[in-house]
Amino acid sequence: VLPLLSRWRCTTFFGVPTLFFLLTNHPRLSEYDLGALRLIAYSGSTMPVRTIRRLRELLPHVWLHNFFGLTETIAMTHVLPNADADEQPESIGKLLPEIDGVVFADDSVAAPGQVGELVFRRDVIISEYWQRPGLLEESLRDAWFHTGDLASVDEQGYFYVHGRSKDMIIVAGQNVYALEVEQVIMRLEQVREVAVVGIPATGVREALGELIKAVVVPHPGETLTERDVKNHCAAHLPSYKIPHIVEFRDELPHNPAGKVLKRLLTE
């Protein structure tokens, strides 16, 4: 990618956060002329704060935009502009003017900060799924398209995604959002990548319902223990959100778009 950006004098670079993490850690980044680059846009998952800071250091002339959208909305629905990239790094931004979307909790608009489901008006959604008649209607209720994404919005209109509803882990009746735990673990400098999943509780812990499993990929050469991860989480999260299991791997499984295949981590 770097030779192509340099050779073709690219001005806009759109990709997933994993790609930019790899770019900022490339040992020969300085050998490539990225002077024509003026905008980096990222989407698909949360961009780690330290990757944003590293991009600022390496490419201070480049604007950073976070975009959010769904296949079903065809185009973007939210944008976090360059001016907010540092102060609101965990936000997907604000709704674009032509998009009608809200967060629903208990079938009504959620209060500021309350976690619910992100929904959009029917008129910004595709007409149907290709060769899947009736499937779209399963997510439509009262002219709203229910995305399955857990989100919240603050009083300033910034939206925050807390993960997919299927990624919510219920520990002894308490809701744990996998993304929140992942963001905390990513603050550890030794961590390159992490994914958090829920697995069935068994044995003496069966009453908990689900256990929190964190699969951590350290940077090459870094030493990190399960106790290190748990102590770090304990300093930033309530006790019921601390991972019960910490597993270390050399890499995580990804799909071609760079998203982690969490279903392969629950075994």
Side-chain angles (χ1 to χ4, degrees):
V1 170
L2 286 171
L4 292 173
L5 290 172
S6 177
R7 182 188 314 156
W8 295 103
R9 307 292 293 162
C10 296
T11 59
T12 300
F13 183 16
F14 186 92
V16 296
T18 300
L19 184 57
F20 297 110
F21 169 82
L22 296 173
L23 182 148
T24 57
N25 286 276
H26 196 285
R28 300 190 306 278
L29 177 64
S30 60
E31 298 177 11
Y32 298 95
D33 180 8
L34 303 181
L37 196 62
R38 55 185 177 82
L39 172 64
I40 280 178
Y42 46 95
S43 185
S45 60
T46 301
M47 177 81 94
V49 176
R50 67 168 177 261
T51 300
I52 293 176
R53 291 173 179 164
R54 188 70 176 140
L55 285 169
R56 293 293 199 202
E57 294 172 6
L58 296 171
L59 304 169
H61 63 288
V62 178
W63 282 21
L64 305 178
H65 283 190
N66 187 6
F67 288 87
F68 180 86
L70 306 173
T71 301
E72 291 85 354
T73 60
I74 303 174
M76 299 302 170
T77 59
H78 298 71
V79 174
L80 185 74
N82 179 69
D84 296 333
D86 299 278
E87 298 300 323
Q88 305 282 351
E90 295 176 350
S91 171
I92 60 172
K94 297 182 178 181
L95 281 168
L96 292 171
E98 67 274 18
I99 302 297
D100 191 0
V102 296
V103 175
F104 273 179
D106 300 323
D107 295 323
S108 61
V109 177
Q114 183 180 8
V115 176
E117 185 178 15
L118 181 62
V119 300
F120 293 101
R121 282 285 186 188
R122 176 68 180 86
D123 56 4
V124 299
I125 301 299
I126 57 173
S127 59
E128 62 181 335
Y129 289 109
W130 175 251
Q131 296 184 345
R132 300 291 299 276
L135 181 60
L136 183 70
E137 285 68 22
E138 295 177 8
S139 299
L140 293 173
R141 294 195 291 277
D142 298 326
W144 290 97
F145 176 76
H146 290 249
T147 66
D149 285 320
L150 296 170
S152 62
V153 56
D154 64 19
E155 294 178 347
Q156 288 73 45
Y158 291 97
F159 281 71
Y160 300 83
V161 172
H162 299 270
R164 298 286 294 168
S165 56
K166 64 181 180 181
D167 288 338
M168 185 174 71
I169 306 164
I170 302 178
V171 181
Q174 300 275 12
N175 294 342
V176 178
Y177 305 106
L179 182 59
E180 179 184 8
V181 182
E182 289 168 355
Q183 289 172 339
V184 167
I185 295 175
M186 279 301 297
R187 296 178 194 172
L188 284 165
E189 292 295 331
Q190 302 97 317
V191 175
R192 175 177 178 177
E193 196 173 14
V194 62
V196 171
V197 296
I199 61 173
T202 59
V204 295
R205 296 188 289 191
E206 184 176 1
L208 294 177
E210 287 187 285
L211 301 179
I212 305 168
K213 176 182 177 182
V215 183
V216 179
V217 178
H219 286 291
E222 293 287 355
T223 301
L224 197 63
T225 67
E226 179 178 8
R227 180 51 52 193
D228 293 332
V229 174
K230 290 185 175 182
N231 286 343
H232 172 75
C233 289
H236 300 280
L237 295 168
S239 59
Y240 67 90
K241 295 184 180 181
I242 299 172
H244 302 91
I245 301 167
V246 178
E247 179 182 311
F248 294 98
R249 296 193 183 186
D250 294 331
E251 60 182 14
L252 297 178
H254 294 88
N255 67 14
K259 291 186 178 181
V260 177
L261 298 172
K262 288 192 172 183
R263 68 178 183 275
L264 302 180
L265 302 177
T266 58
E267 301 174 354

